[in-house]
Each structure stands twice: as structure tokens, then as C-alpha cells.
Amino acid sequence: MPEEKKSGSLVANVLTDLEVDVKELSARRAQLVSEGTKQYFQLDPHTGNVLLKDRIDRESLCGQKDPCVLLSEIVLENPFQVHRIEVDIEDVNDNSPQFSKKEFLFEIPEHMPANTQFPLEKAKDADKDGNAVQNYTLSPNDHFQLDVQNHSDGSKYVQLVLQKQLDREEETRLFLILSAVDGGTPRRTGTATIIIDILDSNDNFPQFSDSVYKVKLKENAPRETLMAKVEATDRDVGSYGDITYSFSQVPETVLKSFSLNKHTGELTLAGTIDYEEERNYEISIKATDGGGFSAYCKIIVEVEDMNDNAPEMMLTSLTSPLPEDSPPDTVVALFRVTDQDSGDNGRTACITVANLPFVLKATVNNYYQLVTQQTIDREKVSEYNITITATDWGSPRLTSTRIINVQISDVNDNAPVFEKSSYEMHLQENNIPGLLIGLVQAKDMDTEQNAKVTYSVLPGKVSDEPMSSYVSINSETGNLYAIRSVDYEQIKDFQVTMRAVDSGSPPLSSEVIVRVVIMDENDNAPFILYPLQNGTLPSNDLVPRGAEAGYLVTKVVAVDRDSGQNSWLSYELLKATEPGLFSVGIHNGEVKTMRPINKRDTFKQKLIIGVSDNGHPPQSTSATLSILLVEGFSEPYMKMVDIPKEEVVEEEDHALTMYLVICLAAISFIFLVSVLVFVAIKIQKKRKFIESSALSFPVGPSFPENYGDADGGSLSRAYNYEVCLAGGSLSSEFRFLRPFFPVFSVEPAQSQGAQRISPGSQEVPNHTAEGQLMSEGSHTSP
């Protein structure tokens, strides 16, 4: 390609040479990489054209090197290929020949023999080959002509040849015009003036011991290092024998790098020598005597390479961020390592830090691939700073490092994880709707959208009702709320299955079971099982007047639908007809006599017993007991019993019989009415009782079987007495039959309900005897 082309000019099309089409060229991510630091060309992936990026000046780029070649590489991926491109920069004739000076002075003694040659400084032309200097011409004169010769490298040099001896007496100075002509089109010319001063005769020329000196010099040698010493002799004496040394026709790089002692001929190092810039030097030395005669020699300096350049890494491509699910052998980065040194000093090797999920693979032309060697987990390491070290084989070895930062991008590979394997939360019964029960939280180790968790309640049932009617959850925070008020006596606990789902694609989820335990409140008052307080005819308990202290009269049985200490019942005697006659067991509700009964005690005793639970605040209820004090139990009407006049109205035998008949008829009527009313009330309140209690309380004088004792507020034994009264005479039998001993029990609220006693249990109401009673029967004590 010719130099000085405009930017954007077409250099070549590489599709044919690469044997690919445009689509494949783009798909394989083709890149044009120059070996130098500056990119002169660019590749159009849509056409395959290599275009000139910046204007190229061959002289500034390569100097006098020939050929001037720019090396580039086309890198293709999938599969990886490297194609080398060499662009030869062709010279155009854009520079004219130039001499270092406008005037050159020669002092030539007269009588100088003919054919004496005087080297002239060659003209410099930045162009090459045919565009460089091709010929020299000299203005017409009588004494001199030019002799043009070629150097070993092909460059031309010129000598001024004396054809006719000079005669100082005829001319003391000559002026000649030297012209240098290149071979370009059009031709360019450079000129200089040669001034020749004619001196008096000097018979001898200086002479060097050697015409060529060879010296080896290590690069980066210190300044003022003595490289060589040249020496010339002249047989003349006086000023004609004094010799001075100087450089002759040397380039500017020699003048900057070397120093010559004009008196001793010692050549020393004056600058920095870099093997990578110049590998050898040819230095021409001129020795001149006092008479103007000169002699020439050449010093050839060969520069030896030292390991003074560290390897350089040039990153070609990098994949960052890298998905964490990338398979092994995924190419993360592509880079090239170069070293400007030569030989072993330029050989390199690359390593990376161990214990990383990446490995280096060497390819062609010092290219390396950084690939994954195992799976990557972003949740463990979110980014990697990979240090790559390049080392050459020189002595001492030089290294360079580069850190490649690779970010790891997240994929949804982690399901939400709850903080606990299961949760247990407590909810007070009779709660207000919308009450916060508790919080469940799940964490997702992913990031951003993959870590956004939403919560939901899975379908289920609580007491044959949908779970959604009991609880709801805030989908963002995980707060669990109660939708409705719950009753401990109906539901002791229930389980909710929660689900946490992330927002990844595809979404991942996990589930956890939350057990909601209902906490009991003291919201139920004690319920009296015995004696019944439902408005039916009250029952009377009979106590013989001969009863001693501690005599068990009866037992108050009560239950509380609450649990725990809310169901612990205590009994208290609130009111009595005669205080001090009866006592109530605080824990078991047993009514006992505190002292022996005497004749002064009132025939009919009324007790009001309070039952309270241990809740906070406590709830209570009361039961009313009616107790009759009688003399003996063998005859229905006891003869010869002294009953206080203020309590019993004496009647005639026939009046007593009439009253008994009336009472029997009235009791039968009341009983039938009571049964009808009771059935109507039960039908009306049955639904309410079922909803408000898990226990089935008996209606009437039946008792639960196997009922517990003191802690449940229950009766361990019950006494039923059968009384038979035969009408007609005072001598009718009043019999106390055997007691019945049903056993009671209360099962927990969550069981199927309290069992009702068998039909064998009986209740016979005690009849109040008015009038005088005859005590004849025997007394049967329990």
C-alpha cells in the first residue's frame, strides 16, 4: 500500500483469504489487532474490508528500514483462529534529497597528485529505493569530477576526484555546486556548495593502523564507557604532523550516542543504547593532519541484547459480567503477551493465582485464553480479581502482572429458605379481626429480582371451613393476620402451610408449616351440674337430726369450659339459714355438717354456695341447696316427733290425708307442665348450647359418668334416696332406701363431649311433710 493515503482508504478485502462470508465474520467476532501500540487499520465486519484508519508516513514509521511492514492479526472466535496480515508500506517520492550543511569546506594542498579522492557527505533522502538518491552531479570545472559508488547496503556515496593538480598561485579557492538527484517522478534535487581552499604543499597523509574496527557493546551500558581507541600516524612534522580525529558522515543517532576525543581518538558512550531500537552502528572516523590531509577508518559497533524489557499483556476481549451457570471451558478473556527482547529474553510464560475456578490455556502466537475450569456460585463469590503474571526467560527474569476483574451475574438457582423449619405462634381467643399473629420470613441468597420473595397461604381447612376465612398474610412482609375471632373452646390449634416464592425465572419456592396455638381466656363462668339450677322444682336433701359433725350431706358439682387455671374451681358458702351448721369443701364442693344437729335447728335449711374459677379476672356462679332435717328414715311419717310449733301446723288425720292428695295432684300437674316447658326451652336453646360449649351438659338430674373430683370441681359420690309415702294414715311407711353411687368423669374439651349417665340413675324428689310426723323407721346412714 502506498504511503500518504487518506484515512478510510481501502487496503484489502480479507473474505476470500479467510474463506468466510460476511455473516460468519460477524458471528465469530472478528477483530483486527495490530502488534504495535497504535492501530493503523480497522476491519469492517460487515464487508470484510480492511480500511486505513490514519494517514501513514513511511519515513516517520520505518525510517530507512526496508521493507516497511506493518504486522496485524485477525482474531476469530468459536473456534479460535489467528490470521496474520502483513501490509507493506510502499514509498512515494515525497522528500527531496538534503545535505547536512549548505557548505562543505575542503583544504587541499597544492601539488596534490591527480586522482586523489575526497569523500563527500552523502545527501539524505527519507524516501527509499528508486525514490532515494540515485545520482550526484557537480558543476562544471577544470580540476574535479565526481565518483559515485555503492555501499554494501545499496546506498550511494560520492567522492570528489582531483583530475588536475591545483595551483595555489592561480587560484586560492574554488566554489563547486554539488547536486543530489533522486529517482522519483518527478525528480527531486538537493544542492550544497563545496568550498575548496588550496593550501601549501603537505607531502604525507595520516594513516590508520586498521581500516575497520569491530566492537561489541551491551545495551544499557553506562555512559562514558570506553568502546574503542583509533590511532593514525603522519610522517610529517610540525603542524602537518598534528592529527585531529572527528566523525565523518555519521547519522544524528551516532552523534547523540557516542563521543570522540579529537586528540586521543577514544570513542566513548555518550547516550543510552537500546538493542530494540538499533542493533548495530557503523561509525566513520576521520583523522586530519595539520596540513589538511585526512585518512578514514570505520568502527562497527554490535549491540548485545540484555533482558531489560518486561513482558507486556494486551487484552483482546473480556466477558464480564459472567453468568454463574456458565459451563466449564467458557472463555472469559483473551489476551496476548509480547516481549521486545530477543532470544530467551523474549520468551514468556503466563500463570495465574491458584485456587480459582479459572485456568489459562496457551494458544498460537503467544495468545492465552482465560477459561472456567469448574462451576461458579455467585452466592459464594460475587466477583473475581484475577491476577495474571507474565514472566520471561531472561536473566534476571522480568515479570509483569495484570488484574482482570470479572463480575459474576446472578441466575435464579436458590429457593427461598425460611428462618425456621417450623413456626409456632400463639393467638389469644376472642381476638379482634385483623390482629397480627406473627411474622414468617424467608431469605433468598440470589440478588435483585431473583431474591424478591412473596408470601402466600396454601389452601386448607379449619373445622371444615376454608383456611382463608381464618388467616391472611401480607405477601411482601410475611406478617400473618387473624381474619376472624376464634374461640378456644371450639378450636385449640390449627396449622397453616405458608409458601415463599421468589420472582426469578423460573420461580423457586419453599414451604413451611405454622402451628397457631389458641390461648385460653377466662370467658366462661362455672356451670352447676348438680344440683340443677334450671328453674325446675328444687330437690331437697334429707339429713337425719342425729347426724354428727362431718356428716356428708351432698356435693355440689360444677365444671368450667375453660382450661388450665381458668378451670380450677373453688367453692364457698355464701349464705346459710344457720351459719356454722354446714361447711363446703373449698376444692371438692362437699357439703358437710360442722357440728351435731340438735332439736333447736330449723327444720328447713337453705344454703347458697358460690363457685368461682381461678381465671383473671375470676368468673363465678352460685347454687342454692334446700336441706330438710328429719327424725329417722324407717317410716314415711315418723311418730312421736316433736316439731316446733312455729314450723309445723298441727292438723287432724283427715286434713293430712286431704293435703297429701292435693299435693300429689299439684305435683303431677306441675311435673307435666314442667316437662312441656323444658322440652320447648331445650329445642330453642339447643343450637346455642352446642355453639357455646364443647361439653354436653345434662338437663335434669342425670350426671356425667366418671366425673373427676376436687380439681375439676366435681363430686366423687352422689346420694339419691327413694322416699315412698303411702296415703291414708300416719302409720304409712317412710322408708330410706339404699343409696346409688354413680361415678362421674369429665373428658377434655377437644374430646367427643361428656358422656351422659345411664338410665339406671334415678332421681326421686323429696316431699315436704307438713304437720306432725311420726318417727318410727330406722335411720340408714351412708
Side-chain angles (χ1 to χ4, degrees):
M1 185 193 76
E3 64 173 331
E4 302 296 335
K5 281 239 177 182
K6 292 182 180 180
S7 175
S9 299
L10 175 64
V11 178
N13 187 286
V14 298
L15 292 181
T16 302
D17 294 333
L18 295 180
E19 298 181 354
V20 296
D21 55 19
V22 175
K23 292 184 179 179
E24 185 178 354
L25 187 70
S26 178
R28 293 180 63 183
R29 298 173 63 184
Q31 298 184 60
L32 183 65
V33 182
S34 298
E35 286 195 350
T37 57
K38 185 175 181 180
Q39 297 280 352
Y40 288 96
F41 307 101
Q42 61 185 3
L43 175 64
D44 187 354
H46 302 293
T47 61
N49 291 333
V50 178
L51 304 177
L52 185 63
K53 190 174 182 180
D54 293 317
R55 187 184 66 84
I56 297 177
D57 185 2
R58 183 188 183 282
E59 287 73 30
S60 62
L61 181 64
C62 299
Q64 294 300 313
K65 290 182 181 179
D66 189 32
C68 180
V69 178
L70 291 179
L71 301 179
S72 301
E73 292 174 339
I74 294 181
V75 180
L76 300 176
E77 298 182 12
N78 299 321
F80 177 78
Q81 290 181 342
V82 178
H83 298 273
R84 186 181 182 90
I85 296 179
E86 296 182 2
V87 180
D88 187 2
I89 307 302
E90 297 177 351
D91 185 40
V92 297
N93 192 26
D94 58 342
N95 294 282
S96 299
Q98 289 183 349
F99 292 94
S100 61
K101 296 184 292 185
K102 293 294 183 181
E103 295 180 353
F104 294 93
L105 177 63
F106 287 85
E107 294 179 347
I108 302 176
E110 62 181 345
H111 306 302
M112 180 68 69
N115 296 324
T116 301
Q117 297 178 348
F118 302 93
L120 298 176
E121 180 177 334
K122 64 181 180 179
K124 295 180 181 180
D125 193 333
D127 297 324
K128 290 290 291 180
D129 299 329
N131 295 325
V133 176
Q134 299 295 316
N135 195 15
Y136 292 88
T137 59
L138 188 66
S139 59
N141 65 90
D142 296 330
H143 298 280
F144 296 93
Q145 68 178 8
L146 293 178
D147 183 17
V148 180
Q149 300 291 334
N150 293 324
H151 281 296
S152 59
D153 60 355
S155 61
K156 295 182 180 297
Y157 67 95
V158 62
Q159 293 179 337
L160 188 64
V161 180
L162 180 62
Q163 288 186 325
K164 180 180 178 181
Q165 287 188 344
L166 299 173
D167 188 356
R168 186 178 179 280
E169 286 68 31
E170 292 181 2
E171 285 184 296
T172 59
R173 174 172 287 188
L174 296 175
F175 292 90
L176 305 176
I177 303 299
L178 177 64
S179 299
V181 183
D182 64 17
T185 302
R187 295 180 180 272
R188 293 177 178 268
T189 303
T191 60
T193 301
I194 300 176
I195 301 176
I196 299 176
D197 286 339
I198 303 174
L199 304 177
D200 284 340
S201 178
N202 182 20
D203 299 325
N204 295 286
F205 289 83
Q207 291 185 349
F208 286 99
S209 57
D210 294 307
S211 60
V212 177
Y213 296 84
K214 293 185 177 181
V215 177
K216 290 185 177 182
L217 177 65
K218 293 182 178 181
E219 69 169 329
N220 300 325
R223 295 188 179 187
E224 299 183 1
T225 298
L226 178 62
M227 298 169 49
K229 182 178 181 180
V230 295
E231 186 174 359
T233 59
D234 194 313
R235 292 183 297 172
D236 292 328
V237 296
S239 61
Y240 293 123
D242 295 335
I243 298 175
T244 57
Y245 301 93
S246 63
F247 291 117
S248 175
Q249 303 182 24
V250 294
E252 187 176 354
T253 55
V254 173
L255 296 176
K256 291 181 178 180
S257 302
F258 303 98
S259 175
L260 179 65
N261 190 315
K262 66 179 181 178
H263 300 294
T264 63
E266 293 179 345
L267 183 65
T268 57
L269 186 62
T272 302
I273 300 298
D274 191 350
Y275 174 85
E276 287 69 40
E277 293 183 0
E278 198 72 39
R279 299 188 177 186
N280 54 66
Y281 296 88
E282 288 187 5
I283 305 173
S284 180
I285 305 295
K286 180 174 73 172
T288 305
D289 62 15
F293 286 170
S294 300
Y296 299 88
C297 72
K298 184 181 293 183
I299 298 177
I300 299 176
V301 179
E302 183 178 347
V303 181
E304 294 181 346
D305 184 35
M306 299 294 292
N307 191 27
D308 59 342
N309 291 282
E312 297 178 357
M313 286 180 281
M314 182 171 60
L315 188 63
T316 302
S317 67
L318 175 64
T319 302
S320 180
L322 179 69
E324 64 174 321
D325 60 349
S326 298
D329 290 332
T330 299
V331 178
V332 180
L334 177 67
F335 62 94
R336 186 183 183 191
V337 179
T338 58
D339 194 315
Q340 296 184 22
D341 295 321
S342 61
D344 287 345
N345 296 334
R347 295 177 61 187
T348 59
C350 275
I351 59 173
T352 186
V353 180
N355 300 324
L356 288 178
F358 303 96
V359 67
L360 287 176
K361 287 187 178 181
T363 58
V364 296
N365 292 347
N366 291 328
Y367 275 93
Y368 290 86
Q369 289 179 333
L370 181 67
V371 300
T372 57
Q373 64 174 344
Q374 63 189 45
T375 57
I376 300 173
D377 191 353
R378 188 208 64 82
E379 286 69 40
K380 294 181 179 178
V381 182
S382 60
E383 67 173 328
Y384 291 90
N385 289 315
I386 306 168
T387 301
I388 298 176
T389 303
T391 306
D392 61 25
W393 289 35
S395 179
R397 295 193 174 190
L398 299 179
T399 61
S400 62
T401 59
R402 179 161 184 168
I403 297 176
I404 298 177
N405 179 266
V406 179
Q407 300 284 338
I408 308 300
S409 61
D410 184 46
V411 297
N412 192 30
D413 57 347
N414 289 279
V417 177
F418 285 94
E419 294 178 344
K420 300 178 182 179
S421 59
S422 63
Y423 290 81
E424 182 173 306
M425 300 179 181
H426 296 84
L427 175 63
Q428 199 78 21
E429 70 168 327
N430 303 320
N431 60 286
I432 60 173
L435 180 67
L436 174 64
I437 302 176
L439 172 68
V440 293
Q441 279 192 329
K443 294 184 179 179
D444 196 311
M445 297 177 65
D446 297 320
T447 59
E448 297 178 352
Q449 200 69 14
N450 294 332
K452 185 179 180 181
V453 179
T454 56
Y455 303 90
S456 62
V457 176
L458 295 185
K461 287 192 175 182
V462 179
S463 298
D464 296 330
E465 295 189 29
M467 183 67 68
S468 59
S469 65
Y470 279 85
V471 295
S472 68
I473 192 169
N474 188 312
S475 61
E476 295 182 354
T477 64
N479 287 332
L480 186 65
Y481 298 94
I483 296 179
R484 63 192 292 180
S485 178
V486 295
D487 188 356
Y488 174 82
E489 284 70 39
Q490 293 182 356
I491 302 174
K492 298 297 185 295
D493 62 3
F494 59 90
Q495 289 186 347
V496 184
T497 302
M498 315 292 298
R499 174 176 289 172
V501 183
D502 61 26
S503 301
S505 179
L508 301 178
S509 65
S510 60
E511 297 175 1
V512 70
I513 293 178
V514 179
R515 180 171 177 259
V516 180
V517 179
I518 309 302
M519 304 297 293
D520 184 39
E521 265 189 358
N522 192 26
D523 57 346
N524 290 282
F527 183 83
I528 305 297
L529 292 178
Y530 179 81
L532 290 177
Q533 305 292 309
N534 56 2
T536 61
L537 291 177
S539 62
N540 298 321
D541 292 292
L542 301 180
V543 178
R545 285 190 177 273
E548 299 293 333
Y551 177 84
L552 178 60
V553 179
T554 185
K555 183 173 183 177
V556 178
V557 180
V559 294
D560 195 311
R561 294 172 60 199
D562 296 320
S563 64
Q565 69 177 12
N566 293 332
S567 66
W568 298 350
L569 302 181
S570 59
Y571 302 83
E572 179 184 6
L573 183 58
L574 300 178
K575 187 176 181 182
T577 303
E578 290 189 17
L581 179 57
F582 298 98
S583 66
V584 179
I586 188 172
H587 297 300
N588 55 23
E590 292 181 348
V591 180
K592 295 182 180 180
T593 58
M594 295 180 63
R595 59 175 175 81
I597 298 175
N598 55 48
K599 294 182 178 182
R600 291 189 302 270
D601 293 329
T602 306
F603 168 73
K604 186 175 182 179
Q605 298 286 331
K606 184 177 182 181
L607 305 180
I608 299 178
I609 298 174
V611 184
S612 27
D613 58 26
N614 198 34
H616 194 78
Q619 303 240 18
S620 63
T621 187
S622 62
T624 302
L625 298 180
S626 180
I627 300 175
L628 298 181
L629 305 180
V630 296
E631 292 282 355
F633 291 89
S634 61
E635 296 290 342
Y637 288 95
M638 290 70 170
K639 297 180 180 180
M640 303 303 292
V641 176
D642 294 326
I643 299 175
K645 295 180 179 179
E646 63 273 15
E647 295 181 321
V648 181
V649 180
E650 296 182 356
E651 294 284 337
E652 296 295 331
D653 293 332
H654 65 278
L656 179 59
T657 302
M658 182 187 65
Y659 282 127
L660 290 175
V661 173
I662 294 174
C663 286
L664 181 59
I667 289 172
S668 298
F669 176 81
I670 293 174
F671 176 78
L672 292 175
V673 173
S674 299
V675 169
L676 294 175
V677 173
F678 176 76
V679 171
I681 293 174
K682 286 302 291 181
I683 292 175
Q684 181 179 1
K685 293 186 177 180
K686 182 178 179 180
R687 185 174 299 172
K688 180 177 181 182
F689 269 89
I690 292 175
E691 293 177 350
S692 62
S693 173
L695 290 174
S696 297
F697 295 110
V699 180
S702 298
F703 300 97
E705 293 182 4
N706 301 324
Y707 215 82
D709 207 359
D711 290 341
S714 63
L715 173 65
S716 61
R717 292 186 179 180
Y719 300 87
N720 282 356
Y721 302 94
E722 182 176 328
V723 179
C724 298
L725 296 177
S729 67
L730 293 174
S731 61
S732 296
E733 290 284 326
F734 177 71
R735 293 185 300 155
F736 182 87
L737 302 181
R738 61 180 180 83
F740 292 88
F741 299 100
V743 183
F744 305 96
S745 67
V746 176
E747 294 185 3
Q750 62 266 31
S751 67
Q752 297 178 356
Q755 302 288 335
R756 297 189 181 275
I757 65 173
S758 64
S761 298
Q762 301 179 20
E763 181 214 23
V764 178
N766 295 323
H767 300 276
T768 304
E770 295 184 2
Q772 185 176 2
L773 299 175
M774 302 298 291
S775 177
E776 288 184 351
S778 62
H779 174 265
T780 304
S781 61

